[in-house]
Amino acid sequence: MGLKAALPKAELCFYTLVLSLGILWAGSWIFEASRDNMNRQGLKPNVKRGWSYIGRKMDVADFEWVMWFTKFRNYILFALSGHVLFGKVVSMMALQHRSLVLMLYGILAVLATMGVSYLMLILSHCLLLYTIGLAKQKWFCFGAGLCSLATFKLEPFSSWQNGFVIGTFELQDILFYGGSGFTIMRCMSFALENTERKEGHYSLLDLLVYNFYLPFFFFGPVMTFDQFYAQINKGHFTRKADEMWNIQKYAFVHLVVIILVDIFFHYLYILAIPSDMQLVLNLSDWALACLAYLNLVYDWVKAAVMFGVIGTVARLDYLDPPQPPKCITMLYVFAETHFDRGINDWLCKYVYDYLGENHDNIGKELLATVCTFLVTTLWLGPCDIVYIWSVCNCFGLNFELWVQKFFEREPFASIEANKLSESMSRRIRGVFGAANFWAIILYNILALNSLDFALVVARRLIIEGFPLSPLGVLFITYCGVQLIKEHERQLALDSEKEKVQ
């Protein structure tokens, strides 16, 4: 109830005005803090010389972003351009061998980047999990896959296997653990899909084609094997009338976003400031709230750009990769919160939906969420901060269902159905959505930033700033939630119109 309930346009305009002014006002505090503390000793490691024609220093606290779009930019462009070129030539000359050539190109790229020992290590894990998959026992495949993943995430096995990479370079650890982790997830998907095949088995070559598709190898996203196999082995490849235009458009959009993010980092040091806790303690409550929010928005933008660029290359290969994650500003429920849609789809298919079924039973939902976050904890790498993050998000996901079930009981169900209008029901749900929105932010900046920063934000907004700061922040968030609900309402109406047509 309440999804299709319309609110007066004047009310929605008021919400838009309040949200816009609130974000601009809070953002101005961060701008002033960035400008006034540009040369602060605590920020020096994370604030370096930026673009000369802007004349300001730049936030370089995110190592991955800086590496991708400066030192390793040309290598990435060269590798992906070669992949697209080889794929296009083979598609024109020998379509039946296209998947094999893409596999060989991926293997050669991994060999050139990480060395023969690393390639042999990856192949040995592929062979092991392929052999186990022949047994067609789901529990055996899943357990063996988790054990294999654990060898890359737990000591001393992780350090021992890392020793197979010869030489050192700045992205070595990221490429090692990215390629290894995604390899295991793909091999598990292959083995689990093989158990579903009624006759015969998928071949080892099918697994290697799946695993060594270069755009997905190091950074994902993960496509489940059934989807990849069906798309890579199509008999003919055709494009829709406007598909190439859309690919070019998205490529241009990603380029613009990369430039805008770099410009943004010259004026708002949203990643560097949280590293200096003395400066954080001197910020206003509003600046802290905006800083926490922008940290999540940036991480979404980073994921959207990375997966968007990879997805663009995959679409040139006639694949339909997982979509970028849903914008964090459009989320107010834990069930839709994720930063990697590929991993999210993988977990939903093989764990969460498999155990939770239709997700309306409290016991099954608890089992499904606990198992899902156990796997996620292993995937991220077990450590104290990941444990806290997993427990908080697991609780949040279950608490949503508990609250839903509680208010479906009498007398609440009758009150909502008989005494509340749909618009009032939407407003009340918006209040809960605003509180949930901030729970999502606080729980996730644990992993994206630090426990100390998350505790400072929570203490200042909930305890020290009470009542003005929490109520003010929640009201602005409530305005945002209502605008999200309005967007969802429009999408639902558009969907109904399409069905009628």
Side-chain angles (χ1 to χ4, degrees), residues 40-48 60-61:
R40 183 182 173 91
Q41 187 68 29
L43 296 184
K44 276 190 176 181
N46 296 317
V47 177
K48 303 292 184 182
V60 294

Side-chain angles (χ1 to χ4, degrees), residues 413-424:
S414 297
I415 292 173
E416 183 179 23
N418 302 320
K419 296 184 179 181
L420 293 180
S421 64
E422 288 194 346
S423 57
M424 184 55 67

Side-chain angles (χ1 to χ4, degrees), residues 173-461:
D173 284 345
I174 295 174
L175 295 181
F176 175 84
Y177 290 110
S180 305
F182 281 114
T183 288
I184 303 305
M185 301 302 272
R186 284 188 288 264
C187 288
M188 288 175 69
S189 177
F190 173 88
L192 291 169
E193 293 299 330
N194 192 59
T195 64
E196 297 291 335
R197 189 168 188 175
K198 295 181 179 178
E199 295 182 3
H201 303 274
Y202 293 109
S203 69
L204 179 60
L205 188 61
D206 291 329
L207 173 58
L208 296 181
V209 168
Y210 173 47
N211 186 60
F212 286 100
Y213 179 71
L214 182 62
F216 295 165
F217 183 82
F218 287 112
F219 301 116
V222 173
M223 281 182 71
T224 56
F225 176 74
D226 57 328
Q227 294 178 331
F228 183 87
Y229 183 81
Q231 294 177 29
I232 202 72
N233 290 302
K234 287 190 295 187
H236 62 283
F237 298 94
T238 57
R239 298 194 187 278
K240 297 177 182 178
D242 57 348
E243 187 174 353
M244 277 306 299
W245 162 249
N246 286 331
I247 291 175
Q248 295 170 10
K249 179 180 68 175
Y250 287 127
F252 177 74
V253 168
H254 293 133
L255 176 61
V256 171
V257 170
I258 292 169
I259 295 172
L260 290 178
V261 168
D262 271 9
I263 295 173
F264 177 88
F265 278 153
H266 285 79
Y267 296 96
L268 297 174
Y269 300 157
I270 62 171
L271 303 179
I273 289 176
S275 66
D276 185 348
M277 291 308 297
Q278 290 299 320
L279 177 57
V280 168
L281 292 173
N282 292 328
L283 295 177
S284 69
D285 295 348
W286 290 94
L288 277 177
C290 189
L291 192 61
Y293 169 71
L294 289 178
N295 266 259
L296 253 72
V297 172
Y298 164 71
D299 204 72
W300 167 78
V301 170
K302 174 182 169 182
V305 168
M306 182 178 73
F307 294 129
V309 170
I310 293 172
T312 299
V313 175
R315 288 185 182 89
L316 290 172
D317 288 330
Y318 300 92
L319 297 179
D320 183 20
Q323 296 296 313
K326 189 175 182 180
C327 180
I328 192 66
T329 59
M330 303 297 290
L331 296 176
Y332 56 92
V333 291
F334 278 91
E336 297 181 1
T337 305
H338 57 268
F339 293 93
D340 182 338
R341 195 183 291 265
I343 291 294
N344 182 73
D345 292 347
W346 191 100
L347 289 169
C348 285
K349 179 170 185 178
Y350 298 121
V351 186
Y352 185 58
D353 291 340
Y354 180 77
L355 296 175
E357 297 177 352
N358 53 6
H359 303 292
D360 62 353
N361 181 279
I362 290 177
K364 289 183 178 180
E365 181 71 1
L366 180 60
L367 175 64
T369 51
V370 168
C371 291
T372 299
F373 279 101
L374 285 175
V375 176
T376 306
T377 299
L378 183 59
W379 162 252
L380 294 174
C383 63
D384 291 344
I385 198 68
V386 173
Y387 296 146
I388 297 171
W389 174 87
S390 293
V391 169
C392 289
N393 281 273
C394 185
F395 169 77
L397 198 55
N398 280 280
F399 189 69
E400 283 181 346
L401 180 61
W402 299 343
V403 172
Q404 176 188 331
K405 291 295 183 182
F406 178 76
F407 283 102
E408 285 177 355
R409 298 169 66 90
E410 296 296 340
F412 304 107
S414 297
I415 292 173
E416 183 179 23
N418 302 320
K419 296 184 179 181
L420 293 180
S421 64
E422 288 194 346
S423 57
M424 184 55 67
S425 174
R426 170 174 161 174
R427 294 186 183 100
I428 294 173
R429 288 171 180 265
V431 173
F432 286 97
N436 218 33
F437 187 92
W438 271 98
I440 292 172
I441 291 178
L442 292 175
Y443 290 172
N444 282 282
I445 58 173
L446 287 167
L448 300 179
N449 211 291
S450 69
L451 178 60
D452 290 339
F453 177 66
L455 289 175
V456 169
V457 174
R459 186 175 67 248
R460 290 278 292 277
L461 293 184

